[in-house]
């Protein structure tokens, strides 16, 4: 018999809390401005992107497609795995709301983390998801050395 999937949702930290949020888990490296500690159940900063990765993305040194696998690889660090275990423990008790300050949910690590947690709960290997607003690029076909085009 399979265990029910964990109830994990995401929300921006600046949105008002609701009674059905359950355990509110802040997953940012730095505490957000203007937010009182009472609005958060637990702060797991190890689930935020490492500072170098976040800086590279915000400075547009790397693209979202480059950011995603690097963030997911960072979740394998022992500190991050301990924080993931805490989220899983809380999810076993009820709903967990992952909180971050990013305005765009589609390009935020809170969505990547939610997918990672849900995929790993199903026993699937978490994989980066392609952003829906970016079309898939086709790779150029290799030219054969022996052929010439007329």
């Amino acid at each position: 018999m399979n265990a029910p999937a964990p109830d994990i949702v995401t929300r921006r930290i600046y949105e008002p809390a609701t009674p059905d949020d359950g355990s509110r888990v802040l997953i940012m490296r730095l505490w957000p401005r203007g937010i009182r500690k009472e609005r958060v159940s637990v702060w797991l900063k190890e689930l935020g992107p490492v500072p170098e990765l976040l800086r590279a993305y915000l400075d547009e040194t790397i693209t979202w497609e480059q950011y995603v696998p690097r963030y997911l690889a960072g979740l394998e660090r022992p500190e991050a795995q301990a924080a993931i275990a805490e989220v899983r423990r809380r999810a076993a008790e009820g709903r967990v709301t992952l909180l971050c300050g990013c305005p765009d949910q589609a390009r935020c690590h809170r969505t990547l983390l939610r997918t990672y947690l849900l995929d790993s709960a199903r026993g699937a290997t978490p994989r980066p998801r392609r952003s829906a607003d970016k079309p898939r690029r086709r790779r150029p076909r290799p030219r054969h050395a022996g052929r010439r085009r007329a």
Side-chain angles (χ1 to χ4, degrees):
M1 188 158 140
N2 291 339
D7 187 7
I8 301 172
V9 295
T10 66
R11 182 173 299 232
R12 193 161 187 241
I13 185 66
Y14 299 106
E15 294 173 5
T18 63
D20 59 328
D21 277 350
S23 185
R24 294 174 51 89
V25 180
L26 181 64
I27 56 168
M28 295 172 61
R29 289 274 168 180
L30 301 174
W31 191 267
R33 290 187 107 153
I35 300 298
R36 294 185 176 272
K37 298 208 186 296
E38 301 84 46
R39 297 206 35 212
V40 173
S41 303
V42 65
W43 180 22
L44 299 176
K45 57 181 147 187
E46 289 302 328
L47 295 179
V50 293
E52 299 80 19
L53 177 61
L54 183 58
R55 180 56 36 218
Y57 178 65
L58 293 176
D59 289 345
E60 298 180 355
T61 306
I62 62 172
T63 65
W64 177 251
E65 287 71 25
Q66 294 169 316
Y67 174 89
V68 171
R70 292 179 192 183
Y71 173 75
L72 293 174
L75 294 178
E76 300 304 319
R77 293 173 298 114
E79 315 83 62
Q81 285 296 307
I84 286 170
E86 174 65 14
V87 173
R88 286 187 178 130
R89 185 188 67 71
R90 288 174 179 268
E93 297 171 1
R95 173 172 274 188
V96 170
T97 301
L98 301 175
L99 302 166
C100 179
C102 301
D104 182 3
Q105 181 172 329
R107 291 184 178 257
C108 177
H109 68 280
R110 70 180 181 256
T111 305
L112 298 176
L113 179 60
R114 178 182 183 271
T115 302
Y116 177 92
L117 290 164
L118 294 177
D119 284 353
S120 60
R122 286 192 305 262
T125 303
R127 300 205 175 178
R129 309 232 182 216
R130 180 170 290 281
S131 177
D133 61 347
K134 281 269 193 168
R136 184 171 230 151
R137 284 190 276 159
R138 293 183 179 257
R139 292 185 181 183
R141 297 172 84 184
R143 293 188 179 201
H144 298 288
R147 284 192 187 170
R148 287 189 169 224
R149 293 193 167 207

